[in-house]
Amino acid sequence: MLSLHEPTPATWVESVVGHLDELLVDHAHCEKKAAGVAMNLLFAYVDCVPLARAMGEIVTEELDHFRLVLDLLAERGIPFRRLAPAPYGARLQELVRKEEPGRAVDRLIVAGIIEARSCERFALLRDRAPDERLAAFWGGLFESEARHHSTYIRLAGEFAPQAAVAARLAELAAAEAAILAQPHSHPRMHS
Ligand SMILES: [Fe+2]
Ligand SMILES: [Fe+2]
Protein backbone atom coordinates (compact mmCIF):
# COMPACT_ATOMS: atom_id res chain seq x y z
CA MET A 1 0.00 0.00 0.00
CA LEU A 2 1.29 3.48 -0.91
CA SER A 3 4.77 2.05 -1.61
CA LEU A 4 5.22 0.76 1.95
CA HIS A 5 7.52 -2.27 2.04
CA GLU A 6 5.63 -4.06 4.83
CA PRO A 7 2.17 -3.55 6.32
CA THR A 8 1.89 -2.56 9.97
CA PRO A 9 1.97 -5.71 12.12
CA ALA A 10 -1.38 -6.58 13.75
CA THR A 11 0.34 -6.26 17.14
CA TRP A 12 0.62 -2.49 16.72
CA VAL A 13 -3.11 -1.74 16.91
CA GLU A 14 -3.40 -4.06 19.90
CA SER A 15 -0.54 -2.25 21.63
CA VAL A 16 -2.06 1.24 21.22
CA VAL A 17 -5.80 0.63 21.43
CA GLY A 18 -5.74 0.58 25.24
CA HIS A 19 -3.85 3.89 25.33
CA LEU A 20 -5.80 6.08 22.95
CA ASP A 21 -5.45 9.23 25.14
CA GLU A 22 -1.66 9.11 24.90
CA LEU A 23 -1.83 8.12 21.23
CA LEU A 24 -3.96 11.20 20.48
CA VAL A 25 -1.43 13.47 22.20
CA ASP A 26 1.29 11.86 20.08
CA HIS A 27 -0.89 12.29 17.01
CA ALA A 28 -1.11 16.03 17.69
CA HIS A 29 2.69 16.21 17.84
CA CYS A 30 2.92 14.27 14.55
CA GLU A 31 0.71 16.81 12.77
CA LYS A 32 2.78 19.69 14.15
CA LYS A 33 5.97 17.93 13.04
CA ALA A 34 4.51 17.30 9.58
CA ALA A 35 3.90 21.05 9.23
CA GLY A 36 7.49 21.67 10.33
CA VAL A 37 8.90 19.19 7.81
CA ALA A 38 7.02 20.89 4.97
CA MET A 39 8.13 24.34 6.15
CA ASN A 40 11.77 23.21 6.34
CA LEU A 41 11.55 21.83 2.79
CA LEU A 42 10.01 25.12 1.62
CA PHE A 43 12.95 27.05 3.10
CA ALA A 44 15.57 24.62 1.77
CA TYR A 45 14.30 24.43 -1.82
CA VAL A 46 12.27 27.63 -2.28
CA ASP A 47 13.61 28.12 -5.81
CA CYS A 48 11.87 24.92 -6.93
CA VAL A 49 8.51 26.56 -7.57
CA PRO A 50 6.38 23.37 -7.79
CA LEU A 51 7.81 22.35 -4.42
CA ALA A 52 7.32 25.81 -2.88
CA ARG A 53 3.66 25.85 -3.91
CA ALA A 54 2.98 22.33 -2.68
CA MET A 55 4.74 22.92 0.64
CA GLY A 56 2.69 26.06 1.19
CA GLU A 57 -0.45 23.95 0.90
CA ILE A 58 0.84 21.09 3.04
CA VAL A 59 2.00 23.41 5.86
CA THR A 60 -1.53 24.86 5.99
CA GLU A 61 -3.22 21.45 5.90
CA GLU A 62 -0.97 19.94 8.58
CA LEU A 63 -1.59 22.92 10.88
CA ASP A 64 -5.32 22.43 10.28
CA HIS A 65 -4.88 18.77 11.29
CA PHE A 66 -2.94 19.87 14.37
CA ARG A 67 -5.81 22.14 15.42
CA LEU A 68 -8.33 19.34 14.78
CA VAL A 69 -6.43 17.02 17.14
CA LEU A 70 -6.18 19.79 19.75
CA ASP A 71 -9.97 20.25 19.50
CA LEU A 72 -10.50 16.53 19.94
CA LEU A 73 -8.20 16.46 22.99
CA ALA A 74 -10.08 19.41 24.51
CA GLU A 75 -13.46 17.72 23.90
CA ARG A 76 -12.25 14.63 25.71
CA GLY A 77 -10.57 16.51 28.55
CA ILE A 78 -7.15 15.13 27.61
CA PRO A 79 -4.39 17.64 28.43
CA PHE A 80 -1.96 18.33 25.60
CA ARG A 81 1.59 17.88 26.83
CA ARG A 82 5.09 17.11 25.69
CA LEU A 83 5.82 13.46 25.00
CA ALA A 84 9.03 11.60 24.30
CA PRO A 85 8.77 10.74 20.59
CA ALA A 86 9.26 7.28 19.13
CA PRO A 87 12.77 6.99 17.60
CA TYR A 88 11.16 6.44 14.15
CA GLY A 89 11.59 9.94 12.71
CA ALA A 90 15.16 10.41 13.94
CA ARG A 91 16.18 7.00 12.62
CA LEU A 92 14.72 7.77 9.20
CA GLN A 93 16.54 11.12 9.11
CA GLU A 94 19.84 9.27 9.68
CA LEU A 95 19.32 7.61 6.28
CA VAL A 96 19.14 10.93 4.39
CA ARG A 97 22.20 11.51 2.21
CA LYS A 98 24.33 14.58 3.01
CA GLU A 99 25.08 15.75 -0.54
CA GLU A 100 22.65 17.41 -2.92
CA PRO A 101 20.70 16.55 -4.99
CA GLY A 102 20.50 13.16 -3.22
CA ARG A 103 19.67 14.97 0.01
CA ALA A 104 16.58 16.60 -1.50
CA VAL A 105 15.46 13.30 -3.01
CA ASP A 106 15.84 11.50 0.33
CA ARG A 107 14.17 14.22 2.40
CA LEU A 108 11.15 14.14 0.08
CA ILE A 109 10.97 10.35 -0.04
CA VAL A 110 11.27 10.06 3.76
CA ALA A 111 8.50 12.64 4.18
CA GLY A 112 6.42 10.65 1.67
CA ILE A 113 6.98 7.35 3.49
CA ILE A 114 5.99 8.90 6.84
CA GLU A 115 2.77 10.17 5.21
CA ALA A 116 2.09 6.71 3.79
CA ARG A 117 2.61 5.04 7.15
CA SER A 118 0.40 7.57 8.93
CA CYS A 119 -2.26 7.05 6.31
CA GLU A 120 -2.13 3.27 6.67
CA ARG A 121 -2.37 3.54 10.46
CA PHE A 122 -5.25 6.04 10.37
CA ALA A 123 -7.22 3.38 8.48
CA LEU A 124 -6.33 0.75 11.10
CA LEU A 125 -7.34 3.13 13.90
CA ARG A 126 -10.57 4.08 12.12
CA ASP A 127 -11.55 0.41 12.00
CA ARG A 128 -10.79 -0.10 15.71
CA ALA A 129 -12.04 3.24 17.06
CA PRO A 130 -14.23 2.89 20.17
CA ASP A 131 -16.75 5.51 18.99
CA GLU A 132 -18.10 7.14 15.83
CA ARG A 133 -16.42 10.48 16.50
CA LEU A 134 -12.93 8.96 16.59
CA ALA A 135 -13.67 6.72 13.60
CA ALA A 136 -14.79 9.73 11.55
CA PHE A 137 -11.80 11.74 12.73
CA TRP A 138 -9.20 9.18 11.65
CA GLY A 139 -11.11 8.27 8.52
CA GLY A 140 -11.27 11.94 7.55
CA LEU A 141 -7.49 12.34 7.63
CA PHE A 142 -6.82 9.32 5.42
CA GLU A 143 -7.39 11.03 2.09
CA SER A 144 -5.25 14.12 2.68
CA GLU A 145 -2.29 12.11 4.01
CA ALA A 146 -2.50 9.82 0.94
CA ARG A 147 -2.40 12.92 -1.24
CA HIS A 148 0.61 14.28 0.68
CA HIS A 149 2.40 10.98 0.09
CA SER A 150 1.87 11.26 -3.67
CA THR A 151 2.96 14.91 -3.68
CA TYR A 152 6.25 14.20 -1.91
CA ILE A 153 7.14 11.28 -4.17
CA ARG A 154 6.25 13.29 -7.28
CA LEU A 155 8.38 16.23 -6.11
CA ALA A 156 11.39 13.94 -5.58
CA GLY A 157 11.28 13.69 -9.37
CA GLU A 158 12.25 17.39 -9.57
CA PHE A 159 15.69 16.39 -8.25
CA ALA A 160 16.40 13.00 -9.90
CA PRO A 161 15.15 10.85 -12.79
CA GLN A 162 12.00 8.83 -12.00
CA ALA A 163 13.88 5.52 -12.15
CA ALA A 164 16.37 6.76 -9.54
CA VAL A 165 13.52 7.99 -7.33
CA ALA A 166 11.78 4.61 -7.61
CA ALA A 167 14.97 2.73 -6.72
CA ARG A 168 15.67 4.96 -3.71
CA LEU A 169 12.03 4.75 -2.59
CA ALA A 170 12.29 0.95 -2.56
CA GLU A 171 15.50 1.12 -0.45
CA LEU A 172 14.13 3.62 2.04
CA ALA A 173 10.77 1.83 2.32
CA ALA A 174 12.62 -1.39 3.20
CA ALA A 175 14.67 0.51 5.81
CA GLU A 176 11.51 2.05 7.26
CA ALA A 177 9.92 -1.38 7.67
CA ALA A 178 13.07 -2.59 9.45
CA ILE A 179 12.90 0.38 11.85
CA LEU A 180 9.27 -0.44 12.71
CA ALA A 181 10.13 -4.10 13.21
CA GLN A 182 11.83 -3.01 16.47
CA PRO A 183 8.83 -2.04 18.59
CA HIS A 184 8.94 1.00 20.86
CA SER A 185 7.75 0.58 24.44
CA HIS A 186 5.33 3.56 24.46
CA PRO A 187 2.11 3.84 22.43
CA ARG A 188 2.90 6.08 19.48
CA MET A 189 1.62 6.69 15.95
CA HIS A 190 4.98 5.37 14.75
CA SER A 191 5.88 2.88 17.50
FE1 LIG B 1 -1.70 15.57 8.64
FE1 LIG C 1 0.27 14.82 5.84
Side-chain angles (χ1 to χ4, degrees), residues 18-58:
H19 309 273
L20 290 182
D21 287 12
E22 187 170 340
L23 188 78
L24 280 167
V25 173
D26 184 57
H27 182 173
H29 285 290
C30 289
E31 298 293 357
K32 177 197 64 175
K33 267 183 255 172
V37 164
M39 184 63 93
N40 288 339
L41 286 164
L42 172 62
F43 272 70
Y45 307 109
V46 73
D47 48 348
C48 175
V49 173
L51 182 149
R53 283 186 180 279
M55 293 307 104
E57 284 176 22
I58 290 182

Coordinates of all heavy atoms in Angstrom, one line a residue, residues 18-58:
G18 N -5.4 0.3 23.8 CA -5.7 0.6 25.2 C -5.2 1.9 25.8 O -5.3 2.2 26.9
H19 N -4.5 2.6 24.9 CA -3.8 3.9 25.3 C -4.2 5.0 24.4 O -3.3 5.8 23.9 CB -2.3 3.7 25.4 CG -1.9 2.5 26.1 ND1 -1.6 2.5 27.5 CD2 -1.6 1.2 25.7 CE1 -1.3 1.3 27.9 NE2 -1.3 0.5 26.8
L20 N -5.5 5.1 24.0 CA -5.8 6.1 23.0 C -5.6 7.5 23.4 O -5.3 8.4 22.5 CB -7.2 5.9 22.5 CG -7.4 4.6 21.6 CD1 -8.8 4.4 21.2 CD2 -6.4 4.5 20.5
D21 N -5.7 7.9 24.7 CA -5.5 9.2 25.1 C -4.0 9.6 24.8 O -3.8 10.7 24.2 CB -5.7 9.4 26.7 CG -7.2 9.3 27.0 OD1 -8.0 8.9 26.2 OD2 -7.5 9.6 28.2
E22 N -3.1 8.8 25.2 CA -1.7 9.1 24.9 C -1.4 9.1 23.4 O -0.6 9.9 22.9 CB -0.8 8.1 25.6 CG 0.7 8.4 25.5 CD 1.6 7.6 26.5 OE1 1.0 7.0 27.4 OE2 2.8 7.5 26.2
L23 N -2.0 8.2 22.7 CA -1.8 8.1 21.2 C -2.3 9.4 20.6 O -1.7 9.9 19.6 CB -2.6 6.9 20.6 CG -2.3 6.7 19.2 CD1 -0.9 6.0 19.0 CD2 -3.3 5.9 18.5
L24 N -3.4 10.0 21.1 CA -4.0 11.2 20.5 C -3.0 12.4 20.7 O -2.8 13.2 19.9 CB -5.4 11.5 21.0 CG -6.5 10.7 20.4 CD1 -7.8 10.8 21.2 CD2 -6.7 11.2 18.9
V25 N -2.4 12.4 21.9 CA -1.4 13.5 22.2 C -0.3 13.3 21.2 O 0.2 14.3 20.6 CB -1.0 13.4 23.7 CG1 0.2 14.4 23.9 CG2 -2.1 13.7 24.6
D26 N 0.2 12.1 21.0 CA 1.3 11.9 20.1 C 0.9 12.2 18.7 O 1.6 12.8 17.9 CB 1.7 10.4 20.1 CG 2.9 10.1 19.2 OD1 4.0 10.8 19.4 OD2 2.8 9.3 18.3
H27 N -0.4 11.9 18.3 CA -0.9 12.3 17.0 C -0.8 13.8 16.8 O -0.4 14.3 15.7 CB -2.3 11.8 16.9 CG -2.9 12.0 15.5 ND1 -4.1 11.5 15.1 CD2 -2.5 12.8 14.5 CE1 -4.4 11.9 13.9 NE2 -3.4 12.7 13.5
A28 N -1.2 14.6 17.8 CA -1.1 16.0 17.7 C 0.3 16.4 17.4 O 0.6 17.3 16.5 CB -1.6 16.7 19.0
H29 N 1.3 15.9 18.1 CA 2.7 16.2 17.8 C 3.1 15.8 16.4 O 3.9 16.6 15.8 CB 3.6 15.5 18.9 CG 3.6 16.1 20.2 ND1 4.1 17.4 20.5 CD2 3.0 15.7 21.4 CE1 3.9 17.7 21.8 NE2 3.3 16.7 22.3
C30 N 2.6 14.7 15.9 CA 2.9 14.3 14.6 C 2.4 15.3 13.5 O 3.1 15.6 12.6 CB 2.3 12.9 14.2 SG 3.1 11.6 15.1
E31 N 1.2 15.8 13.7 CA 0.7 16.8 12.8 C 1.5 18.1 12.8 O 1.8 18.7 11.8 CB -0.8 17.1 13.1 CG -1.7 15.9 13.0 CD -1.9 15.4 11.5 OE1 -1.3 16.0 10.6 OE2 -2.6 14.4 11.4
K32 N 1.9 18.5 14.0 CA 2.8 19.7 14.2 C 4.1 19.5 13.5 O 4.6 20.3 12.7 CB 3.0 20.0 15.7 CG 3.9 21.1 16.0 CD 4.3 21.0 17.5 CE 5.1 19.7 17.7 NZ 5.7 19.4 18.9
K33 N 4.7 18.3 13.7 CA 6.0 17.9 13.0 C 5.8 17.9 11.5 O 6.7 18.3 10.8 CB 6.5 16.6 13.5 CG 7.4 16.7 14.7 CD 7.9 15.3 15.1 CE 7.2 14.8 16.3 NZ 7.5 13.4 16.7
A34 N 4.7 17.4 11.0 CA 4.5 17.3 9.6 C 4.5 18.7 9.0 O 5.0 18.9 7.9 CB 3.2 16.6 9.3
A35 N 3.9 19.6 9.7 CA 3.9 21.0 9.2 C 5.3 21.6 9.2 O 5.8 22.3 8.3 CB 3.0 21.9 10.1
G36 N 6.1 21.2 10.2 CA 7.5 21.7 10.3 C 8.4 21.1 9.2 O 9.2 21.8 8.6
V37 N 8.1 19.8 8.9 CA 8.9 19.2 7.8 C 8.6 19.9 6.5 O 9.6 20.2 5.7 CB 8.5 17.7 7.7 CG1 9.0 17.1 6.4 CG2 9.1 16.9 8.9
A38 N 7.4 20.2 6.2 CA 7.0 20.9 5.0 C 7.6 22.3 5.0 O 8.1 22.8 3.9 CB 5.5 20.9 4.8
M39 N 7.6 23.0 6.1 CA 8.1 24.3 6.2 C 9.6 24.3 5.9 O 10.2 25.1 5.2 CB 7.8 25.0 7.5 CG 8.2 26.4 7.6 SD 7.4 27.5 6.5 CE 6.0 28.1 7.4
N40 N 10.3 23.3 6.5 CA 11.8 23.2 6.3 C 12.1 22.9 4.9 O 13.1 23.5 4.3 CB 12.3 22.1 7.2 CG 12.4 22.5 8.7 OD1 12.3 23.7 9.0 ND2 12.4 21.5 9.5
L41 N 11.3 22.1 4.2 CA 11.5 21.8 2.8 C 11.3 23.1 2.0 O 12.0 23.4 1.0 CB 10.7 20.7 2.3 CG 11.1 19.3 2.8 CD1 10.0 18.3 2.7 CD2 12.3 18.8 2.1
L42 N 10.3 23.9 2.3 CA 10.0 25.1 1.6 C 11.2 26.1 1.7 O 11.6 26.6 0.7 CB 8.8 25.8 2.2 CG 8.4 27.2 1.8 CD1 8.1 27.2 0.3 CD2 7.2 27.7 2.6
F43 N 11.8 26.2 2.9 CA 12.9 27.1 3.1 C 14.2 26.5 2.3 O 14.9 27.3 1.8 CB 13.3 27.2 4.6 CG 12.5 28.3 5.3 CD1 11.1 28.2 5.5 CD2 13.2 29.5 5.7 CE1 10.4 29.2 6.1 CE2 12.4 30.5 6.2 CZ 11.1 30.4 6.5
A44 N 14.4 25.2 2.4 CA 15.6 24.6 1.8 C 15.6 24.7 0.2 O 16.6 24.9 -0.4 CB 15.7 23.2 2.2
Y45 N 14.4 24.6 -0.4 CA 14.3 24.4 -1.8 C 13.3 25.4 -2.4 O 12.5 25.1 -3.3 CB 13.9 23.0 -2.2 CG 14.9 22.0 -1.6 CD1 14.4 21.1 -0.5 CD2 16.2 21.9 -1.9 CE1 15.3 20.2 0.1 CE2 17.1 21.0 -1.3 CZ 16.6 20.2 -0.3 OH 17.5 19.3 0.3
V46 N 13.3 26.7 -1.9 CA 12.3 27.6 -2.3 C 12.3 28.0 -3.8 O 11.3 28.4 -4.4 CB 12.4 28.9 -1.4 CG1 13.6 29.7 -1.7 CG2 11.1 29.7 -1.4
D47 N 13.5 27.8 -4.4 CA 13.6 28.1 -5.8 C 13.0 27.0 -6.7 O 13.0 27.2 -7.9 CB 15.1 28.4 -6.2 CG 16.0 27.4 -5.7 OD1 15.6 26.5 -4.8 OD2 17.2 27.4 -6.1
C48 N 12.6 25.9 -6.2 CA 11.9 24.9 -6.9 C 10.4 25.3 -6.8 O 9.8 24.9 -5.8 CB 12.2 23.5 -6.4 SG 11.2 22.2 -7.2
V49 N 9.8 26.0 -7.7 CA 8.5 26.6 -7.6 C 7.4 25.5 -7.3 O 6.6 25.7 -6.5 CB 8.2 27.5 -8.7 CG1 6.7 28.0 -8.7 CG2 9.1 28.7 -8.7
P50 N 7.4 24.4 -8.1 CA 6.4 23.4 -7.8 C 6.4 22.9 -6.3 O 5.4 22.7 -5.7 CB 6.7 22.2 -8.7 CG 7.5 22.8 -9.8 CD 8.3 24.0 -9.2
L51 N 7.7 22.8 -5.8 CA 7.8 22.4 -4.4 C 7.3 23.5 -3.5 O 6.6 23.2 -2.5 CB 9.3 22.0 -4.1 CG 9.6 21.5 -2.7 CD1 10.8 20.5 -2.8 CD2 9.9 22.7 -1.8
A52 N 7.7 24.7 -3.8 CA 7.3 25.8 -2.9 C 5.8 25.9 -2.8 O 5.2 26.1 -1.7 CB 7.9 27.1 -3.4
R53 N 5.1 25.8 -3.9 CA 3.7 25.9 -3.9 C 3.0 24.7 -3.1 O 2.1 24.9 -2.3 CB 3.1 25.7 -5.3 CG 3.3 27.0 -6.1 CD 2.5 26.8 -7.5 NE 2.7 28.0 -8.3 CZ 1.9 29.1 -8.1 NH1 1.0 29.1 -7.2 NH2 2.1 30.2 -8.9
A54 N 3.6 23.5 -3.4 CA 3.0 22.3 -2.7 C 3.2 22.4 -1.2 O 2.4 22.1 -0.4 CB 3.6 21.0 -3.3
M55 N 4.4 22.9 -0.8 CA 4.7 22.9 0.6 C 3.9 24.0 1.3 O 3.4 23.8 2.5 CB 6.2 23.2 0.9 CG 7.2 22.1 0.5 SD 6.8 20.5 1.2 CE 6.1 19.7 -0.2
G56 N 3.6 25.1 0.6 CA 2.7 26.1 1.2 C 1.4 25.4 1.5 O 0.8 25.7 2.6
E57 N 0.8 24.6 0.6 CA -0.4 23.9 0.9 C -0.4 22.9 2.0 O -1.2 22.9 2.9 CB -0.9 23.2 -0.4 CG -1.5 24.2 -1.4 CD -1.9 23.4 -2.7 OE1 -2.1 22.2 -2.6 OE2 -1.9 24.1 -3.7
I58 N 0.7 22.2 2.0 CA 0.8 21.1 3.0 C 1.0 21.7 4.4 O 0.4 21.2 5.4 CB 2.0 20.1 2.7 CG1 1.5 19.3 1.4 CG2 2.3 19.2 3.8 CD1 2.5 18.2 1.0

